[in-house]
Amino acid sequence: MIGTKMRLRADALAARGGETMATHEPAVFVIFGGTGDLAKRKLFPALCHNAVGGQLHERTLILGLGRSPIAEAAYRADVRSALAKAGLADEAERLVGRVFYQAIGRGSDDDYRALAERLEKLCAAHEIPPNYAMYLSLPPHVMPATIEGLGGAGLNNTRGWTRVVLEKPFGKDLKSAQELNALVHRHFREDQIYRIDHYLGKETVQNLLVFRLANGLIESAWNRDRVHSVQIIVAEDLGVGSRAGYYDTSGALRDMVQNHISQLLTLVAMEVPSSFDAEAIRYEKVKVLRSMAPIDLNSVVRGQYTAGTASGHAVRGYLEEANVPAGSQTETFVAMKLFVDSWRWQGVPFYIRTGKRLPRKTTQIAVRFRSAPVSFFKKVGCRLESSDVLLITLQPDEGFSFHFDIKKPGDPFQIESIPLSFSYDERYHQIHDAYQTLLLDVLEGDQTLFVHATEVEASWKLFTGLLEAPPPVRPYAAGSWGPPEADGLAIPESGLWQHGC
Ligand code: BG6
């Protein structure tokens, strides 16, 4: 629970006279896919930052797993170079000495028994309790067998605690998500399951809750009476890169909308929870998903990028990317208009837009408030598009801004739109990576920022009709804001799409 976590971390700070100390019991952090890209780019750097910051218990160990045997020294060298790439060359030794490796082979019963034995030996040798956090950073097709393997070897029920972290995608539609939930529940209780969505670990996403719920003025305006529309944009300048094998079976809808964007939407739209803990917050989020109006397929635009220009360079189209099947109809862009059929949000459109190869990377939530009923200043013109918009920038340049109209000094009488803004970087200089927060939460047993079984199913359910009858894919040039058809979705009612300031 967030409340518990904040208290624990504050107590830990106090106990050390201001210096941070770990607030979890020592454990073994097991990484399935320990030689993979996510482990190297995100998990090891996050663990290392936590070790340096003193939040990772000094006796917590890391066991990387991969298919093939690798000498432990060679694996540690790999981890060292991954940390150096992440800018942590000087700090690497704070972590590498407690990194171990084990081959899991093809995942036979014997392989899992060997894993269980290795874990027991590691715990005994380092005098730590058998607490295991098992992070499954694996392709979807091996997930079920891995969960069965863990259950078969008794790794779901040890003398300490056992938690399993499941990376997205969690299923590819409602049916597969239900099947996966049923399978995981055969071996693990819900309180042992951490379905990760890294967006929930971003500081700015968590701050969305604080900003909304701690500021009376904002919360009292957070409803259909004051809000005209909400836009959520998650734009990326990169293309699919080397991930087409996965991406082509997924597309923007499954890759971004069903999970990350749904999470943002539920946090914006949820009712005030009865308390600030995991259960109450997850309950409210599920309620939002269940009260979404059925998606009108005419309010959805799918797109696919064609050749164009990105960051000043000519780039190829999606169909020319390596490993994309000829004629693929996979969308790299989705825009849609949604409605939340609730007392609070009746009639307020929520616009969503996400895509690859858009002009720049930006994740923003724009809450457009209703304008003043009478415009006294029409004659002097210029109410800017950004007026009355609360812009919450989740990345990059994390922060908030709200534009006010003011009178420009002097003659002639002119109105200007001025931002009242806050930048994380200017104030705090550095913010944690999402994985730092989420991995600590797993070790501390805090499920607030993880997705519940009912939530994942409710979100797949919302998109079922769309997945079954997707509208045609429209081309857009790389480096543009998506197909022109998507602009048509927003302009008549809410002015231009908010592309960020
Ligand atoms: C991942 C998607 O979950 O999120 C990627 O699979 C996407 O396709 C990434 O690029 C975006 O994450 P972030 O944190 O860079 O916005």
Side-chain angles (χ1 to χ4, degrees), residues 145-222:
T146 308
I147 290 158
E148 302 271 17
L150 290 171
L155 282 168
N156 50 352
N157 186 16
T158 64
R159 283 173 294 112
W161 52 251
T162 306
R163 298 173 190 145
V164 62
V165 187
L166 306 175
E167 257 297 336
K168 70 176 261 277
F170 196 88
K172 59 179 174 53
D173 52 23
L174 177 60
K175 185 165 171 287
S176 56
Q178 284 170 330
E179 285 166 2
L180 189 52
N181 271 335
L183 182 135
V184 186
H185 284 151
R186 278 206 289 282
H187 299 285
F188 292 91
R189 295 182 314 271
E190 185 63 26
D191 66 0
Q192 295 178 289
I193 305 168
Y194 290 69
R195 295 175 197 78
I196 201 164
D197 182 313
H198 77 276
Y199 266 54
L200 288 177
K202 291 181 191 278
E203 289 282 355
T204 38
V205 175
Q206 295 173 64
N207 190 40
L208 184 60
L209 284 183
V210 178
F211 185 72
R212 243 196 84 177
L213 304 177
N215 298 300
L217 186 66
I218 298 294
E219 180 49 33
S220 61
W222 211 252

Side-chain angles (χ1 to χ4, degrees), residues 331-343:
E331 78 284 350
T332 59
F333 173 98
V334 190
M336 64 178 88
K337 179 164 73 171
L338 300 170
F339 288 95
V340 185
D341 258 344
S342 69
W343 191 269

Side-chain angles (χ1 to χ4, degrees), residues 41-42 167-169 197-199 202 234-236 238-240 243 246-247 250-252 254-256 259-260 354-356 361-363 395 433-435:
R41 270 189 318 108
K42 293 290 184 184
E167 257 297 336
K168 70 176 261 277
D197 182 313
H198 77 276
Y199 266 54
K202 291 181 191 278
V234 183
E236 296 184 274
L238 298 177
V240 287
R243 296 172 70 221
Y246 149 75
Y247 194 88
S250 163
R254 291 185 169 94
D255 188 49
M256 297 297 288
N259 34 64
H260 305 324
T354 184
K356 297 213 181 274
K361 182 165 177 71
T362 181
T363 304
Q395 60 183 2
D433 181 71
Y435 282 93

Side-chain angles (χ1 to χ4, degrees), residues 2 102 105 325:
I2 280 189
Q102 166 97 3

Side-chain angles (χ1 to χ4, degrees), residues 360-424:
R360 62 175 179 274
K361 182 165 177 71
T362 181
T363 304
Q364 286 186 325
I365 299 171
V367 180
R368 180 181 288 277
F369 290 94
R370 293 188 190 284
S371 308
V374 177
S375 179
F376 295 111
F377 304 108
K378 235 188 209 146
K379 278 203 294 275
V380 287
C382 98
R383 285 207 80 250
L384 299 188
E385 274 303 325
S386 50
S387 295
D388 284 325
V389 175
L390 171 69
L391 205 57
I392 304 166
T393 304
L394 305 176
Q395 60 183 2
D397 308 327
E398 291 83 352
F400 290 73
S401 69
F402 187 75
H403 282 70
F404 288 94
D405 283 349
I406 56 117
K407 179 190 174 297
K408 229 174 156 180
D411 283 329
F413 192 103
Q414 271 183 303
I415 293 183
E416 195 178 358
S417 187
I418 298 291
L420 188 69
S421 54
F422 152 73
S423 147
Y424 263 92

